[in-house]
Amino acid sequence: MASPYINAPLTPVRPRMYASALAKVVWTLVPIVTLGLAAAVPFVVAAVKGVVKPWLAGAYVVGEIAVFSVAIAISPDPDDTNLFPGFLMVLLIITAATHTALLDNDRISVGK
């Protein structure tokens, strides 16, 4: 009788965020399509699945709230021509989409 420990991996397998390439594309589009309003959602889902640590999801939630708060505080009037709030929003969207695409990357160990 063969032992189940002979072919077992030495380290436990980390859970995966994406089941397919299509799922990766859809999750990466979430921060883009929602214009940053759901930038933290992929990280909260990844934390629930055990892909990343909960502090990383919390950091994204706090960061998203901070960016929106600062943007609204700087430019509360819709007719304002200040470009900085829009720049903050675009930066949030690009950062969240990039990090969402990298959630299953084995070379990145921060927050995993």
Side-chain angles (χ1 to χ4, degrees):
M1 178 105 191
S3 172
Y5 300 106
I6 292 176
N7 293 328
L10 295 177
T11 58
V13 177
R14 189 174 59 81
R16 306 304 288 178
M17 174 68 180
Y18 311 115
S20 66
L22 177 63
K24 182 176 185 175
V25 170
V26 170
W27 276 111
T28 302
L29 287 174
V30 166
I32 298 168
V33 171
T34 63
L35 299 177
L37 290 172
V41 171
F43 298 94
V44 172
V45 171
V48 169
K49 286 184 171 185
V51 176
V52 296
K53 296 207 163 90
W55 69 262
L56 184 62
Y60 257 91
V61 169
V62 169
E64 182 179 345
I65 291 170
V67 166
F68 276 95
S69 299
V70 168
I72 291 171
I74 290 174
S75 183
D77 186 21
D79 296 329
D80 195 0
T81 58
N82 190 354
L83 298 178
F84 189 67
F87 172 73
L88 282 177
M89 305 297 281
V90 169
L91 193 62
L92 171 69
I93 293 167
I94 291 171
T95 303
T98 302
H99 289 160
T100 301
L102 295 173
L103 279 173
D104 269 352
N105 192 329
D106 290 330
R107 292 182 181 178
I108 298 172
S109 61
V110 176
K112 295 182 179 178

XYZ file of all heavy atoms in Angstrom:
826
model
N 0.841 -1.172 0.000
C 0.000 0.000 0.000
C 0.887 1.235 0.000
O 1.764 1.393 0.833
C -0.874 -0.042 1.251
C -1.763 1.132 1.411
S -3.397 0.577 1.000
C -4.268 2.051 0.918
N 0.638 2.154 -0.959
C 1.440 3.370 -1.092
C 1.005 4.408 -0.065
O -0.175 4.539 0.255
C 1.282 3.942 -2.489
N 1.961 5.116 0.433
C 1.681 6.157 1.412
C 1.201 7.435 0.709
O 1.771 7.828 -0.312
C 2.950 6.464 2.211
O 2.743 7.581 3.022
N 0.176 8.104 1.224
C -0.286 9.352 0.603
C 0.688 10.511 0.808
O 0.562 11.543 0.172
C -1.617 9.631 1.305
C -1.516 8.929 2.607
C -0.643 7.722 2.351
N 1.678 10.314 1.672
C 2.621 11.387 1.956
C 3.794 11.428 0.981
O 4.525 12.404 0.940
C 3.153 11.244 3.387
C 2.051 11.305 4.401
C 1.631 10.154 5.053
C 1.414 12.500 4.679
C 0.607 10.195 5.985
C 0.381 12.548 5.600
C -0.011 11.410 6.247
O -1.025 11.455 7.149
N 3.979 10.408 0.190
C 5.122 10.356 -0.722
C 4.987 11.401 -1.826
O 5.930 12.109 -2.131
C 5.281 8.943 -1.306
C 5.694 7.986 -0.197
C 6.300 8.942 -2.433
C 5.795 6.559 -0.618
N 3.828 11.522 -2.436
C 3.647 12.454 -3.543
C 2.977 13.764 -3.121
O 2.639 14.587 -3.970
C 2.802 11.801 -4.642
C 3.540 10.652 -5.299
O 4.762 10.685 -5.409
N 2.810 9.645 -5.722
N 2.796 13.975 -1.848
C 2.155 15.206 -1.371
C 3.122 16.374 -1.521
O 4.330 16.223 -1.358
C 1.749 15.055 0.085
N 2.621 17.570 -1.867
C 3.508 18.729 -1.970
C 4.074 19.093 -0.605
O 3.440 18.883 0.433
C 2.594 19.840 -2.505
C 1.203 19.377 -2.262
C 1.243 17.880 -2.182
N 5.290 19.635 -0.599
C 5.947 19.986 0.648
C 5.264 21.171 1.323
O 5.197 21.254 2.535
C 7.420 20.307 0.399
C 8.256 19.142 -0.097
C 9.676 19.596 -0.383
C 8.256 18.018 0.921
N 4.806 22.119 0.531
C 4.090 23.265 1.076
C 2.642 23.197 0.615
O 2.360 22.723 -0.486
C 4.712 24.585 0.602
O 4.697 24.622 -0.818
C 6.130 24.736 1.087
N 1.725 23.672 1.428
C 0.330 23.638 1.001
C 0.108 24.547 -0.205
O 0.743 25.586 -0.335
C -0.441 24.136 2.224
C 0.559 24.780 3.096
C 1.893 24.207 2.756
N -0.778 24.140 -1.072
C -1.062 24.898 -2.277
C -1.904 26.113 -1.894
O -2.898 25.995 -1.199
C -1.816 24.017 -3.299
C -2.182 24.819 -4.534
C -0.980 22.805 -3.671
N -1.455 27.283 -2.366
C -2.185 28.520 -2.097
C -3.439 28.552 -2.948
O -3.414 28.186 -4.114
C -1.290 29.714 -2.427
C -1.852 31.049 -1.983
C -0.855 32.167 -2.219
N -0.463 32.322 -3.597
C -1.172 32.965 -4.516
N -2.325 33.496 -4.203
N -0.744 33.060 -5.740
N -4.567 28.985 -2.394
C -5.793 29.040 -3.202
C -5.633 30.020 -4.357
O -4.892 30.993 -4.269
C -6.858 29.528 -2.222
C -6.198 29.783 -0.938
C -4.767 29.413 -1.033
N -6.329 29.755 -5.431
C -6.255 30.590 -6.628
C -7.445 31.537 -6.659
O -8.539 31.204 -6.225
C -6.253 29.736 -7.890
C -5.189 28.647 -7.944
C -3.794 29.134 -7.782
N -3.343 29.852 -8.969
C -2.154 30.424 -9.069
N -1.325 30.375 -8.069
N -1.805 31.044 -10.156
N -7.227 32.722 -7.211
C -8.302 33.698 -7.352
C -9.108 33.437 -8.618
O -10.320 33.565 -8.623
C -7.701 35.112 -7.376
C -8.679 36.211 -7.646
S -9.827 36.417 -6.281
C -10.812 37.762 -6.896
N -8.416 33.081 -9.687
C -9.071 32.948 -10.986
C -9.098 31.494 -11.436
O -8.081 30.813 -11.411
C -8.330 33.770 -12.046
C -8.052 35.183 -11.607
C -6.747 35.629 -11.434
C -9.086 36.059 -11.341
C -6.494 36.926 -11.038
C -8.839 37.357 -10.938
C -7.537 37.781 -10.789
O -7.285 39.058 -10.387
N -10.276 31.043 -11.888
C -10.416 29.676 -12.387
C -10.052 29.597 -13.869
O -9.737 28.524 -14.365
C -11.845 29.184 -12.180
N -10.093 30.738 -14.576
C -9.777 30.747 -16.011
C -9.267 32.128 -16.395
O -9.320 33.069 -15.609
C -11.045 30.422 -16.817
O -11.995 31.459 -16.664
N -8.790 32.217 -17.634
C -8.317 33.499 -18.147
C -9.473 34.488 -18.286
O -9.308 35.695 -18.060
C -7.622 33.305 -19.491
N -10.649 34.004 -18.617
C -11.820 34.876 -18.736
C -12.175 35.478 -17.373
O -12.498 36.672 -17.272
C -13.018 34.104 -19.304
C -14.321 34.891 -19.415
C -14.157 36.049 -20.389
C -15.457 33.984 -19.850
N -12.094 34.682 -16.329
C -12.373 35.190 -14.981
C -11.371 36.274 -14.608
O -11.737 37.283 -13.988
C -12.327 34.049 -13.971
N -10.114 36.099 -14.984
C -9.095 37.105 -14.699
C -9.425 38.417 -15.405
O -9.324 39.499 -14.822
C -7.718 36.597 -15.127
C -6.597 37.548 -14.823
C -5.264 36.941 -15.190
C -4.120 37.828 -14.793
N -2.831 37.204 -15.041
N -9.847 38.338 -16.663
C -10.202 39.537 -17.421
C -11.410 40.228 -16.796
O -11.421 41.450 -16.620
C -10.463 39.188 -18.904
C -11.072 40.363 -19.651
C -9.182 38.729 -19.578
N -12.420 39.463 -16.431
C -13.632 40.038 -15.843
C -13.299 40.722 -14.517
O -13.728 41.855 -14.271
C -14.722 38.958 -15.666
C -15.874 39.484 -14.831
C -15.218 38.488 -17.017
N -12.537 40.067 -13.649
C -12.185 40.669 -12.373
C -11.308 41.901 -12.556
O -11.404 42.863 -11.788
C -11.494 39.658 -11.458
C -12.448 38.803 -10.707
C -12.669 37.469 -10.882
C -13.346 39.213 -9.673
N -13.643 37.036 -10.025
C -14.074 38.087 -9.268
C -13.605 40.420 -9.050
C -15.033 38.136 -8.259
C -14.564 40.466 -8.053
C -15.256 39.331 -7.675
N -10.436 41.894 -13.548
C -9.580 43.050 -13.806
C -10.401 44.233 -14.316
O -10.065 45.383 -14.051
C -8.472 42.682 -14.804
O -7.719 41.584 -14.269
C -7.534 43.842 -15.053
N -11.490 43.953 -15.013
C -12.343 45.024 -15.527
C -13.243 45.647 -14.457
O -13.786 46.732 -14.673
C -13.202 44.503 -16.679
C -12.465 44.259 -17.993
C -13.392 43.610 -19.006
C -11.896 45.551 -18.536
N -13.411 45.005 -13.322
C -14.308 45.526 -12.273
C -13.935 46.948 -11.850
O -14.789 47.830 -11.851
C -14.377 44.559 -11.066
C -15.014 45.222 -9.853
C -15.136 43.313 -11.443
N -12.670 47.241 -11.488
C -12.356 48.626 -11.093
C -12.495 49.621 -12.260
O -12.812 50.781 -12.042
C -10.896 48.568 -10.633
C -10.575 47.150 -10.451
C -11.518 46.359 -11.286
N -12.288 49.154 -13.475
C -12.348 50.041 -14.643
C -13.799 50.377 -14.979
O -14.152 51.543 -15.144
C -11.640 49.393 -15.847
C -10.165 49.166 -15.525
C -11.799 50.250 -17.101
C -9.445 48.276 -16.508
N -14.640 49.361 -15.073
C -16.034 49.556 -15.471
C -16.803 50.357 -14.420
O -17.652 51.180 -14.758
C -16.707 48.197 -15.743
C -18.198 48.339 -15.956
C -16.067 47.525 -16.944
N -16.494 50.147 -13.154
C -17.204 50.864 -12.092
C -16.584 52.224 -11.789
O -17.001 52.890 -10.835
C -17.230 50.029 -10.802
O -15.887 49.842 -10.342
C -17.923 48.701 -11.016
N -15.614 52.641 -12.586
C -14.922 53.920 -12.403
C -14.334 54.069 -11.001
O -14.337 55.135 -10.405
C -15.853 55.091 -12.722
C -16.385 55.112 -14.154
C -17.360 56.263 -14.335
C -15.263 55.189 -15.163
N -13.840 52.983 -10.463
C -13.175 52.988 -9.169
C -14.097 52.798 -7.977
O -13.620 52.640 -6.858
N -15.409 52.819 -8.191
C -16.324 52.663 -7.065
C -16.237 51.271 -6.437
O -16.551 51.105 -5.263
C -17.773 52.937 -7.503
C -18.081 54.398 -7.825
C -19.466 54.514 -8.427
C -17.969 55.247 -6.571
N -15.826 50.280 -7.203
C -15.681 48.915 -6.687
C -14.223 48.457 -6.781
O -13.945 47.287 -6.998
C -16.587 47.964 -7.452
N -13.295 49.384 -6.591
C -11.873 49.053 -6.702
C -11.433 48.033 -5.653
O -10.548 47.214 -5.901
C -11.031 50.316 -6.595
N -12.056 48.053 -4.485
C -11.653 47.156 -3.399
C -12.347 45.798 -3.456
O -11.914 44.861 -2.786
C -11.929 47.817 -2.057
N -13.385 45.669 -4.262
C -14.172 44.428 -4.289
C -13.332 43.193 -4.641
O -13.430 42.170 -3.962
C -15.396 44.573 -5.220
C -16.089 43.241 -5.439
C -16.366 45.592 -4.645
N -12.479 43.227 -5.681
C -11.675 42.027 -5.970
C -10.768 41.612 -4.808
O -10.539 40.423 -4.593
C -10.841 42.429 -7.188
C -11.608 43.528 -7.831
C -12.277 44.257 -6.714
N -10.302 42.581 -4.042
C -9.411 42.268 -2.921
C -10.178 41.705 -1.730
O -9.670 40.850 -1.018
C -8.599 43.510 -2.545
C -7.742 43.955 -3.678
C -8.181 44.926 -4.565
C -6.518 43.363 -3.910
C -7.411 45.311 -5.637
C -5.734 43.738 -4.984
C -6.194 44.711 -5.851
N -11.395 42.180 -1.529
C -12.240 41.616 -0.474
C -12.586 40.168 -0.818
O -12.521 39.280 0.039
C -13.507 42.471 -0.269
C -14.472 41.789 0.676
C -13.136 43.851 0.247
N -12.915 39.911 -2.084
C -13.219 38.542 -2.520
C -11.980 37.659 -2.376
O -12.062 36.522 -1.915
C -13.749 38.534 -3.973
C -13.856 37.119 -4.506
C -15.096 39.239 -4.041
N -10.817 38.189 -2.748
C -9.574 37.422 -2.626
C -9.262 37.117 -1.163
O -8.778 36.029 -0.840
C -8.423 38.185 -3.269
N -9.557 38.047 -0.264
C -9.327 37.801 1.164
C -10.276 36.726 1.688
O -9.873 35.867 2.479
C -9.505 39.098 1.953
N -11.525 36.754 1.234
C -12.486 35.728 1.664
C -12.068 34.356 1.151
O -12.189 33.352 1.858
C -13.912 36.096 1.184
C -14.871 34.942 1.372
C -14.409 37.338 1.911
N -11.535 34.299 -0.084
C -11.070 33.027 -0.654
C -9.757 32.550 -0.038
O -9.353 31.413 -0.243
C -10.860 33.173 -2.169
C -12.122 33.225 -2.972
C -11.766 33.273 -4.450
C -12.977 33.102 -5.333
N -12.610 33.041 -6.755
N -9.064 33.418 0.679
C -7.789 33.059 1.272
C -6.604 33.280 0.351
O -5.503 32.810 0.627
N -6.793 34.017 -0.724
C -5.704 34.283 -1.672
C -4.754 35.331 -1.104
O -3.544 35.231 -1.257
C -6.273 34.741 -3.038
C -5.168 35.114 -4.004
C -7.154 33.660 -3.630
N -5.302 36.361 -0.461
C -4.490 37.403 0.169
C -4.909 37.536 1.623
O -5.967 37.070 2.035
C -4.637 38.772 -0.549
C -4.115 38.708 -1.968
C -6.055 39.273 -0.512
N -4.084 38.207 2.389
C -4.391 38.424 3.803
C -5.451 39.520 3.940
O -5.533 40.428 3.112
C -3.117 38.813 4.532
C -2.112 37.681 4.509
C -1.198 37.743 5.675
C -0.510 36.443 5.869
N 0.678 36.188 5.260
N -6.263 39.466 4.972
C -7.329 40.460 5.144
C -6.839 41.905 5.255
O -7.536 42.828 4.860
C -8.018 40.030 6.437
C -7.727 38.576 6.560
C -6.367 38.379 5.947
N -5.626 42.117 5.762
C -5.131 43.489 5.890
C -4.984 44.160 4.533
O -5.136 45.384 4.422
C -3.825 43.557 6.677
C -2.622 42.964 6.001
C -2.109 41.724 6.198
C -1.774 43.589 5.031
N -1.012 41.520 5.408
C -0.778 42.666 4.678
C -1.761 44.831 4.427
C 0.215 42.947 3.747
C -0.771 45.113 3.489
C 0.205 44.176 3.167
N -4.682 43.385 3.488
C -4.545 43.967 2.152
C -5.900 44.443 1.641
O -6.003 45.541 1.076
C -3.931 42.949 1.190
C -3.638 43.459 -0.213
C -2.621 44.589 -0.170
C -3.136 42.342 -1.085
N -6.930 43.653 1.856
C -8.276 44.077 1.460
C -8.688 45.313 2.260
O -9.265 46.253 1.700
C -9.264 42.936 1.670
N -8.385 45.323 3.531
C -8.688 46.487 4.360
C -7.964 47.737 3.889
O -8.525 48.838 3.890
N -6.706 47.566 3.478
C -5.945 48.709 2.968
C -6.582 49.262 1.697
O -6.628 50.484 1.505
C -4.502 48.292 2.698
N -7.085 48.392 0.844
C -7.750 48.868 -0.363
C -9.068 49.564 -0.046
O -9.411 50.562 -0.688
C -7.960 47.728 -1.364
C -6.944 47.803 -2.476
C -5.745 47.132 -2.386
C -7.180 48.578 -3.593
C -4.803 47.225 -3.373
C -6.243 48.676 -4.593
C -5.051 47.998 -4.485
O -4.109 48.109 -5.469
N -9.810 49.061 0.909
C -11.067 49.715 1.298
C -10.765 51.110 1.851
O -11.391 52.097 1.450
C -11.836 48.860 2.332
C -12.990 49.642 2.934
C -12.340 47.579 1.683
N -9.804 51.204 2.757
C -9.433 52.498 3.341
C -8.884 53.437 2.260
O -9.228 54.624 2.222
C -8.409 52.303 4.480
C -7.816 53.622 4.923
C -9.063 51.591 5.648
N -8.052 52.911 1.373
C -7.500 53.730 0.292
C -8.568 54.258 -0.648
O -8.533 55.427 -1.060
N -9.533 53.407 -0.983
C -10.615 53.833 -1.867
C -11.457 54.926 -1.211
O -11.778 55.939 -1.844
C -11.495 52.642 -2.219
C -12.622 52.978 -3.161
C -13.462 51.762 -3.522
O -13.040 50.618 -3.284
O -14.554 51.982 -4.060
N -11.785 54.754 0.055
C -12.552 55.771 0.775
C -11.760 57.072 0.867
O -12.314 58.165 0.690
C -12.952 55.249 2.170
C -13.977 54.125 2.026
C -13.505 56.375 3.044
C -14.251 53.381 3.311
N -10.458 56.974 1.106
C -9.621 58.168 1.208
C -9.560 58.922 -0.119
O -9.681 60.154 -0.150
C -8.213 57.786 1.665
N -9.378 58.196 -1.221
C -9.292 58.852 -2.536
C -10.602 59.554 -2.868
O -10.604 60.710 -3.304
C -8.916 57.830 -3.635
C -9.158 58.393 -5.022
C -7.466 57.412 -3.482
N -11.728 58.885 -2.641
C -13.022 59.514 -2.923
C -13.276 60.698 -1.992
O -13.802 61.730 -2.426
C -14.157 58.495 -2.835
C -14.336 57.728 -4.102
C -13.725 56.502 -4.272
C -15.098 58.241 -5.135
C -13.876 55.792 -5.454
C -15.249 57.543 -6.327
C -14.642 56.318 -6.480
N -12.911 60.589 -0.740
C -13.104 61.691 0.211
C -12.277 62.914 -0.181
O -12.778 64.041 -0.166
C -12.739 61.256 1.626
O -13.558 60.199 2.034
N -11.023 62.687 -0.522
C -10.154 63.794 -0.929
C -10.650 64.417 -2.224
O -10.698 65.646 -2.357
C -8.688 63.309 -1.063
C -7.820 64.344 -1.755
C -8.129 62.961 0.297
N -11.050 63.595 -3.174
C -11.534 64.118 -4.456
C -12.779 64.974 -4.268
O -12.917 66.036 -4.880
C -11.818 62.968 -5.417
N -13.689 64.532 -3.414
C -14.918 65.301 -3.183
C -14.627 66.553 -2.357
O -15.219 67.609 -2.594
C -15.982 64.413 -2.510
C -16.455 63.354 -3.511
C -17.158 65.234 -2.015
C -17.331 62.282 -2.922
N -13.693 66.471 -1.420
C -13.352 67.637 -0.601
C -12.658 68.718 -1.435
O -12.882 69.903 -1.225
C -12.470 67.219 0.569
N -11.820 68.300 -2.373
C -11.103 69.265 -3.207
C -12.048 69.935 -4.193
O -11.965 71.134 -4.431
C -9.955 68.573 -3.965
C -8.857 68.178 -2.997
C -9.393 69.478 -5.054
C -7.757 67.368 -3.628
N -12.927 69.161 -4.770
C -13.781 69.679 -5.839
C -15.235 69.280 -5.619
O -15.761 68.431 -6.333
C -13.270 69.147 -7.177
O -14.014 69.669 -8.233
N -15.928 69.922 -4.649
C -17.322 69.532 -4.390
C -18.299 70.027 -5.459
O -19.374 69.477 -5.623
C -17.619 70.174 -3.037
C -16.673 71.310 -2.939
C -15.456 70.916 -3.713
N -17.923 71.059 -6.192
C -18.797 71.627 -7.219
C -18.580 70.908 -8.552
O -17.451 70.799 -9.020
C -18.491 73.123 -7.374
C -19.442 73.824 -8.319
O -20.545 73.301 -8.534
O -19.064 74.901 -8.840
N -19.628 70.428 -9.198
C -19.458 69.716 -10.472
C -18.902 70.600 -11.597
O -18.321 70.092 -12.545
C -20.869 69.251 -10.833
C -21.705 69.462 -9.639
C -21.000 70.396 -8.740
N -19.031 71.908 -11.456
C -18.529 72.814 -12.496
C -17.080 73.238 -12.262
O -16.542 74.046 -13.016
C -19.415 74.067 -12.564
C -20.834 73.728 -12.986
O -20.995 72.754 -13.762
O -21.768 74.411 -12.528
N -16.451 72.709 -11.231
C -15.070 73.059 -10.920
C -14.150 72.524 -12.015
O -14.348 71.434 -12.554
C -14.685 72.469 -9.563
C -13.409 73.070 -9.003
O -12.824 73.944 -9.648
O -13.020 72.658 -7.894
N -13.095 73.267 -12.342
C -12.175 72.852 -13.414
C -10.871 72.281 -12.873
O -9.930 72.080 -13.634
C -11.870 74.054 -14.329
O -11.298 75.111 -13.525
C -13.119 74.536 -15.020
N -10.804 72.002 -11.581
C -9.607 71.431 -10.981
C -9.414 70.006 -11.506
O -10.320 69.180 -11.446
C -9.744 71.431 -9.459
C -8.453 71.091 -8.760
O -7.466 70.735 -9.385
N -8.470 71.196 -7.441
N -8.218 69.706 -12.003
C -7.934 68.395 -12.596
C -7.433 67.366 -11.583
O -7.410 66.173 -11.885
C -6.900 68.546 -13.715
C -7.327 69.419 -14.896
C -6.182 69.528 -15.897
C -8.558 68.874 -15.553
N -7.017 67.800 -10.403
C -6.416 66.885 -9.437
C -7.356 65.765 -8.973
O -6.926 64.605 -8.888
C -5.865 67.658 -8.242
C -5.046 66.823 -7.312
C -3.818 66.305 -7.722
C -5.498 66.513 -6.041
C -3.061 65.513 -6.884
C -4.751 65.726 -5.193
C -3.531 65.227 -5.619
N -8.636 66.043 -8.676
C -9.530 64.936 -8.279
C -9.677 63.877 -9.371
O -9.686 62.682 -9.072
C -10.866 65.627 -8.013
C -10.511 67.026 -7.684
C -9.307 67.340 -8.514
N -9.766 64.294 -10.615
C -9.848 63.330 -11.720
C -8.578 62.509 -11.826
O -8.616 61.300 -12.094
N -7.425 63.153 -11.610
C -6.150 62.442 -11.638
C -6.106 61.388 -10.530
O -5.640 60.260 -10.758
C -4.993 63.441 -11.477
C -3.654 62.782 -11.309
C -3.027 62.174 -12.382
C -3.027 62.764 -10.077
C -1.800 61.556 -12.227
C -1.805 62.154 -9.907
C -1.188 61.552 -10.995
N -6.589 61.743 -9.332
C -6.631 60.770 -8.233
C -7.497 59.568 -8.585
O -7.142 58.425 -8.295
C -7.169 61.425 -6.963
C -6.223 62.290 -6.171
C -6.945 62.926 -4.987
C -5.029 61.504 -5.690
N -8.641 59.833 -9.209
C -9.557 58.750 -9.573
C -8.924 57.826 -10.619
O -9.014 56.598 -10.513
C -10.871 59.320 -10.112
C -11.549 60.283 -9.173
S -12.023 59.533 -7.658
C -13.479 58.732 -8.191
N -8.304 58.420 -11.625
C -7.649 57.612 -12.669
C -6.512 56.796 -12.059
O -6.334 55.624 -12.408
C -7.151 58.515 -13.816
C -6.245 57.759 -14.766
C -8.331 59.110 -14.565
N -5.755 57.393 -11.151
C -4.675 56.673 -10.485
C -5.204 55.491 -9.677
O -4.625 54.394 -9.711
C -3.909 57.640 -9.577
C -2.573 57.174 -9.041
C -1.608 56.908 -10.177
C -2.011 58.213 -8.105
N -6.323 55.683 -8.976
C -6.958 54.594 -8.225
C -7.395 53.480 -9.169
O -7.151 52.298 -8.895
C -8.160 55.114 -7.441
C -9.042 54.050 -6.775
C -8.307 53.384 -5.627
C -10.357 54.646 -6.307
N -8.024 53.826 -10.268
C -8.513 52.818 -11.223
C -7.359 52.019 -11.813
O -7.414 50.778 -11.862
C -9.346 53.495 -12.337
C -10.631 54.072 -11.745
C -9.658 52.523 -13.454
C -11.364 55.023 -12.670
N -6.315 52.701 -12.244
C -5.158 52.013 -12.851
C -4.468 51.113 -11.823
O -4.127 49.956 -12.116
C -4.174 53.031 -13.446
C -4.795 53.700 -14.664
C -2.850 52.363 -13.812
C -3.994 54.867 -15.198
N -4.271 51.624 -10.615
C -3.603 50.837 -9.570
C -4.415 49.602 -9.193
O -3.871 48.493 -9.106
C -3.375 51.715 -8.322
O -2.617 52.856 -8.700
C -2.657 50.953 -7.236
N -5.715 49.777 -9.004
C -6.563 48.649 -8.612
C -6.643 47.605 -9.726
O -6.590 46.400 -9.453
C -7.959 49.140 -8.245
N -6.767 48.039 -10.978
C -6.849 47.082 -12.091
C -5.532 46.312 -12.235
O -5.536 45.094 -12.451
C -7.192 47.810 -13.387
N -4.421 47.008 -12.091
C -3.114 46.339 -12.208
C -2.924 45.323 -11.088
O -2.517 44.180 -11.327
C -1.981 47.378 -12.162
O -2.172 48.311 -13.225
C -0.627 46.719 -12.309
N -3.228 45.724 -9.865
C -3.058 44.804 -8.737
C -4.042 43.645 -8.790
O -3.715 42.530 -8.377
C -3.177 45.559 -7.416
C -2.020 46.461 -7.150
N -2.078 47.500 -6.265
C -0.776 46.477 -7.665
C -0.905 48.109 -6.239
N -0.097 47.513 -7.086
N -5.253 43.890 -9.313
C -6.213 42.796 -9.473
C -5.690 41.766 -10.464
O -5.829 40.563 -10.251
C -7.576 43.347 -9.942
O -8.048 44.279 -8.969
C -8.588 42.237 -10.100
N -5.076 42.221 -11.546
C -4.521 41.300 -12.537
C -3.368 40.482 -11.955
O -3.107 39.364 -12.410
C -4.053 42.072 -13.765
N -2.705 41.000 -10.945
C -1.540 40.320 -10.360
C -1.873 39.460 -9.141
O -0.967 38.936 -8.500
C -0.488 41.357 -9.963
C 0.144 42.136 -11.115
C 1.036 43.240 -10.570
C 0.920 41.212 -12.023
N -3.149 39.289 -8.815
C -3.507 38.544 -7.603
C -3.019 37.096 -7.607
O -2.678 36.563 -6.558
C -5.027 38.572 -7.392
C -5.570 39.831 -6.746
C -7.087 39.817 -6.750
C -5.045 39.982 -5.330
N -2.997 36.441 -8.751
C -2.546 35.038 -8.798
C -1.088 34.884 -9.202
O -0.627 33.781 -9.452
C -3.415 34.233 -9.775
C -4.609 33.600 -9.070
O -4.671 33.653 -7.833
O -5.479 33.069 -9.767
N -0.349 35.964 -9.272
C 1.050 35.898 -9.657
C 1.869 35.331 -8.499
O 1.845 35.860 -7.383
C 1.554 37.298 -10.032
C 2.892 37.266 -10.717
O 3.712 36.401 -10.456
N 3.116 38.219 -11.612
N 2.605 34.254 -8.758
C 3.378 33.591 -7.705
C 4.646 34.343 -7.346
O 5.252 34.100 -6.299
C 3.721 32.160 -8.129
C 2.502 31.275 -8.147
O 1.570 31.524 -7.350
O 2.463 30.336 -8.968
N 5.090 35.257 -8.198
C 6.319 36.011 -7.918
C 6.096 37.120 -6.896
O 7.033 37.618 -6.312
C 6.853 36.648 -9.204
C 7.354 35.632 -10.187
C 7.913 36.312 -11.395
N 8.379 35.331 -12.362
C 8.876 35.635 -13.511
N 8.984 36.902 -13.881
N 9.284 34.700 -14.334
N 4.854 37.507 -6.701
C 4.539 38.582 -5.757
C 4.102 37.945 -4.450
O 3.180 37.132 -4.412
C 3.447 39.504 -6.326
C 3.967 40.153 -7.595
C 3.029 40.530 -5.306
C 2.941 40.931 -8.344
N 4.753 38.340 -3.354
C 4.447 37.717 -2.067
C 3.866 38.696 -1.058
O 3.509 38.285 0.046
C 5.717 37.079 -1.499
O 6.702 38.074 -1.294
N 3.761 39.973 -1.387
C 3.239 40.966 -0.452
C 1.756 40.694 -0.201
O 0.968 40.620 -1.134
C 3.438 42.397 -0.994
C 2.796 43.423 -0.070
C 4.908 42.678 -1.186
N 1.382 40.535 1.017
C -0.013 40.334 1.394
C -0.530 38.937 1.177
O -1.712 38.681 1.306
N 0.335 37.999 0.864
C -0.119 36.623 0.602
C 0.317 35.686 1.693
O 1.133 35.913 2.468
C 0.416 36.142 -0.745
C -0.174 36.952 -1.873
C 0.312 36.458 -3.190
C -0.344 37.298 -4.278
N 0.077 36.940 -5.569
